[in-house]
Every structure is written in structure tokens, then in C-alpha cells.
């Protein structure tokens, strides 16, 4: 079987989210055939996302059935345009910003569980606690080991649950308030990203502070953010503020990967009934109104608070509805990250093919 025959065979592999086969979509970067050995480079950009894992698995099974030995790799060609010594985080494939329009909606809880959930899938993950005025991530993962410094005066982040961690809390006293103006925030955020030995990461999850202030603007202006997750509760007040966050990302041309609704239905362990303490369905309705993906709802569950205070993310707990809810959101974030990359590659290559100069 030659290269043309392999490409023709792969026309039977569909991308379920883009609605066409991977060849027509332009998702094959390269195909090389040497006897029974086939090297295929795919335009897949969200490692360990369920959809992309399934696409790769289907390709592998299909070619093995034909008696071939497939060797698959993945890369996003457009990323080469941003490579080089001056590039911020050149070894990080995806930067995911977790945001909320207001405090108290569980944004840090979602960020911690998202990072731990991605690591649980098998990805290489970092978690940057950029909430400089109220850094809670170290407590939420029970991490008290400070970063180590190298001879080059860079920081080596500690790890917990397979996630590399960096937080302002590592660099200040436990009870010391952070009272800084915008320029200082900008400087510290830059140092805590560029001067950290993150290594090669599939995902860097950033826990932004609530609101739309200096820290958020610094991150969006200086970092290659792949997409954002907006956390809200079903409550109208929270949704009003979530709308402001949505507009902030729109002004900076940042893709919103979806809306996560926290503190939804409370299942009472005593009476067995369900109570909508903060309202019902507001997050999904908000997502539908603004034509955004809805990532899922997280129940109002005491286990989430216990996990945060005790330092063990709820996403790591098997056999619970709340753990399943966090895993669903994690998978949806990874899948939507893949859609962003694959759609970009496909649109670019189809535009090139349609160009009259070619």
C-alpha cells in the first residue's frame, strides 16, 4: 500500500466534532510508507482528549487490519510561527485560563480539579496560581514544599498529583497580605511564568483572579492563551459578572472553551430531596444565549469543600457523582481545546487550497 492508498483508506475516519473525514479536513500533516511500516503525523493539538485519542485509536486499528504497522505522531504546524528563543512558554502546548467575573463561585476549585483531572488522563500538566491577592492552590492540593532555585536563578516548581505547581503563596508568608499596584503585579506574573522551569507540558492551567483587572490583562497580552474557561454559579448576580468576563476575552480575541456551572443542585443526604440553593440551569442558559459550549454542572457537595480544605481534588475520587462531574468538565475542556486547533488547521489548509495563486 502506497501513500495515496493510505490517504484514501483514512477517508473513512471521521472527526465527530468537525463533521467530516480527517483527510478532507486537512488533518494529515504527513504520511510516509516504508514497506509495511507507516508513519503518520496528525494535526491533533489536545493530548489525551477523548475525541483525539479515539481518532488516533481508529486510525491505528484500521491500518493494523490492513496488515500495516502504524506509527502515529501529532503536531500543530501553526505553532511553528510562534517558536523561537523569545517565545513565552515555548514548550507548553496549551495554556488554559480559568476565570470568573466575581469571587466566591469556586473558580480555584475548578482550576485545581481541571489540572488534576488532565493529569489523571495521562497529560503533562502545570498549574499556575495567578490569583496573586488570594492564592489558595497550595492549600487545595496540600503542597507546602517551596520551589527550588537553580544556579541560573530560575524556579523548579514542586509537584503534587502529577501537576507542577507555582503560586504566589510559595513566595510570601502564610498570613502576609499582598498589597500591590498594577505594575508590580505585571512584573511578578511575568517572572512566575518566564522564570519557572515548567519543562514540556501538554497543558498549563492558569487560575486567574476574579474580575477583569490588571492580572487578567497582563496574562492575555503576554501569554499564548489557547482558550478560557468561565466559571459561574446558576445565580443571576454571578451570571451578570460572568458576562463581563466573556466580553473581556472577546476584546482580546481569546477563545472561550466553555462555561462551567458550579454549586448547582444540592442533594440533601438527610431528606433525599434536591434543592436549587443558587437557582437552576443558569449556567447552561447563559452558555446557550451566548452560543458558548456548556462544559457541565458541579453539584453543591460538601465533599468539594472537604477536598479543597484537605488537599485532595474531588476529581480523583471514583464512584461519586461530583467526581464524575469534574471528570466530564475535564474531558470537555480537552475536547474543545482540540476543536480549536483542528478547526484552525482545517480552515487554513482549505483556504490555501482554494487560493487562485496555488
Amino acid at each position: 500500500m502506497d501513500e495515496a492508498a493510505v490517504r484514501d483508506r483514512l477517508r473513512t475516519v471521521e472527526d465527530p466534532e468537525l463533521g467530516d473525514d480527517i483527510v478532507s479536513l486537512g488533518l494529515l500533516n504527513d504520511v510516509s510508507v516504508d514497506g509495511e511500516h507507516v508513519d503518520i503525523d496528525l494535526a491533533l493539538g489536545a493530548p489525551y482528549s477523548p475525541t483525539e485519542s479515539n481518532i488516533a485509536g481508529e486510525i491505528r486499528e484500521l491500518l493494523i487490519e490492513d496488515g500495516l504497522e502504524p506509527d502515529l505522531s501529532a503536531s500543530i504546524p501553526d505553532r511553528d510561527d510562534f517558536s523561537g528563543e523569545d517565545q513565552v512558554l515555548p514548550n507548553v502546548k496549551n495554556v488554559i485560563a480559568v476565570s470568573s467575573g466575581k469571587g466566591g463561585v469556586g473558580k480555584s476549585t475548578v482550576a485545581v480539579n481541571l489540572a488534576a483531572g488532565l493529569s489523571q488522563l495521562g497529560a503533562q500538566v502545570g498549574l499556575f496560581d495567578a490569583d496573586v491577592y488570594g492564592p489558595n492552590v497550595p492549600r487545595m492540593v496540600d503542597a507546602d514544599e517551596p520551589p527550588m532555585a537553580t544556579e541560573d536563578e530560575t524556579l523548579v516548581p514542586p509537584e503534587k498529583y502529577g501537576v507542577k505547581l507555582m503560586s504566589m503563596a510559595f513566595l510570601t508568608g502564610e498570613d502576609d497580605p499582598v498589597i500591590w499596584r498594577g505594575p508590580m503585579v505585571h512584573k511578578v506574573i511575568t517572572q512566575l511564568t518566564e522564570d519557572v522551569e515548567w519543562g514540556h507540558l501538554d497543558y498549563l492551567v492558569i487560575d486567574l483572579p476574579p474580575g477583569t483587572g490588571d492580572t487578567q490583562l497582563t496574562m492575555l497580552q503576554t501569554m499564548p492563551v489557547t482558550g478560557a474557561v468561565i466559571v459561574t454559579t446558576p445565580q443571576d448576580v454571578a451570571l451578570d459578572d460572568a458576562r463581563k468576563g466573556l466580553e473581556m476575552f472577546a476584546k482580546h480575541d481569546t477563545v472561550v472553551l466553555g462555561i462551567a456551572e458550579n454549586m448547582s443542585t444540592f442533594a440533601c443526604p438527610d431528606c433525599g430531596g434536591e434543592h436549587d440553593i443558587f437557582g437552576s440551569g443558569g449556567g447552561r442558559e447563559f452558555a446557550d444565549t451566548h452560543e458558548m459550549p456548556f462544559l457541565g454542572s458541579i453539584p453543591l457537595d460538601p465533599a468539594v469543600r472537604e477536598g479543597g480544605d484537605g488537599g485532595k481534588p474531588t476529581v480523583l475520587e471514583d464512584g461519586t457523582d461530583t467526581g464524575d462531574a469534574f471528570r466530564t468538565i475535564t474531558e470537555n475542556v480537552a475536547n474543545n481545546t482540540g476543536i480549536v486547533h483542528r478547526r484552525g488547521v482545517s480552515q487554513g489548509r482549505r483556504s490555501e487550497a482554494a487560493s487562485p495563486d496555488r
Side-chain angles (χ1 to χ4, degrees):
M1 185 177 289
D2 59 14
E3 178 185 329
V6 170
R7 288 180 178 272
D8 190 56
R9 188 77 170 98
L10 294 182
R11 290 185 182 277
T12 62
V13 179
E14 296 281 326
D15 184 320
E17 292 160 341
L18 298 189
D20 206 343
D21 70 88
I22 61 172
V23 178
S24 299
L25 289 168
L27 299 183
L28 294 183
N29 295 326
D30 187 53
V31 176
S32 176
V33 180
D34 183 8
E36 295 181 349
H37 186 83
V38 182
D39 288 310
I40 298 177
D41 187 45
L42 300 163
L44 304 180
Y48 298 94
S49 79
T51 294
E52 294 196 352
S53 294
N54 289 339
I55 289 174
E58 186 176 348
I59 291 171
R60 190 174 285 108
E61 290 178 7
L62 196 67
L63 296 180
I64 289 175
E65 287 178 4
D66 291 339
L68 300 173
E69 300 174 0
D71 188 3
L72 308 184
S73 58
S75 62
I76 298 297
D78 292 347
R79 285 186 60 88
D80 294 340
D81 297 336
F82 302 98
S83 62
E85 294 182 1
D86 296 331
Q87 169 63 13
V88 177
L89 303 173
N91 297 319
V92 177
K93 294 180 180 178
N94 296 289
V95 177
I96 309 298
V98 181
S99 172
S100 67
K102 68 187 297 293
V105 299
K107 167 188 55 62
S108 294
T109 296
V110 172
V112 166
N113 280 275
L114 173 60
L118 289 168
S119 178
Q120 190 178 45
L121 289 176
Q124 298 293 318
V125 184
L127 175 57
F128 177 28
D129 183 3
D131 192 349
V132 294
Y133 297 112
N136 303 123
V137 164
R139 174 186 289 277
M140 299 177 77
V141 294
D142 190 25
D144 53 13
E145 176 188 349
M148 303 294 290
T150 69
E151 293 182 357
D152 297 328
E153 297 184 353
T154 58
L155 298 176
V156 179
E159 290 190 31
K160 198 65 184 286
Y161 304 115
V163 177
K164 295 182 178 180
L165 305 168
M166 183 51 60
S167 171
M168 192 65 210
F170 291 135
L171 308 179
T172 62
E174 184 175 346
D175 299 319
D176 293 340
V178 178
I179 307 173
W180 289 338
R181 295 186 183 275
M184 180 62 76
V185 172
H186 178 97
K187 181 179 180 181
V188 170
I189 290 295
T190 301
Q191 287 183 328
L192 291 182
T193 51
E194 296 182 4
D195 295 343
V196 174
E197 299 285 344
W198 290 109
H200 290 269
L201 296 179
D202 297 316
Y203 301 91
L204 176 61
V205 177
I206 301 178
D207 179 23
L208 292 176
T212 56
D214 290 328
T215 306
Q216 293 87 336
L217 295 178
T218 296
M219 302 298 288
L220 295 177
Q221 291 170 353
T222 62
M223 296 185 64
V225 177
T226 307
V229 173
I230 296 178
V231 182
T232 184
T233 66
Q235 188 177 5
D236 288 343
V237 171
L239 293 169
D240 288 342
D241 290 324
R243 192 171 293 109
K244 297 174 185 177
L246 190 62
E247 302 219 352
M248 175 186 70
F249 290 122
K251 287 181 179 179
H252 288 82
D253 296 323
T254 301
V255 176
V256 175
L257 300 172
I259 310 299
E261 182 185 82
N262 194 23
M263 304 181 195
S264 60
T265 303
F266 170 63
C268 179
D270 297 325
C271 69
E274 294 187 348
H275 307 278
D276 297 322
I277 295 175
F278 293 102
S280 176
R284 182 181 290 278
E285 183 178 347
F286 176 83
D288 291 343
T289 299
H290 295 279
E291 299 182 339
M292 293 283 122
F294 182 65
L295 301 171
S297 295
I298 304 159
L300 183 59
D301 185 348
V304 177
R305 191 273 305 165
E306 294 166 2
D309 288 347
K312 185 174 182 180
T314 311
V315 71
L316 303 177
E317 298 290 340
D318 294 326
T320 66
D321 291 341
T322 305
D324 289 342
F326 278 119
R327 282 185 285 276
T328 295
I329 288 175
T330 298
E331 292 177 358
N332 285 337
V333 169
N335 281 337
N336 291 352
T337 299
I339 292 174
V340 170
H341 288 305
R342 300 197 308 278
R343 181 177 288 147
V345 170
S346 180
Q347 290 175 345
R349 286 179 171 165
R350 286 181 167 182
S351 295
E352 289 179 3
S355 173
D357 297 331
R358 292 182 176 272

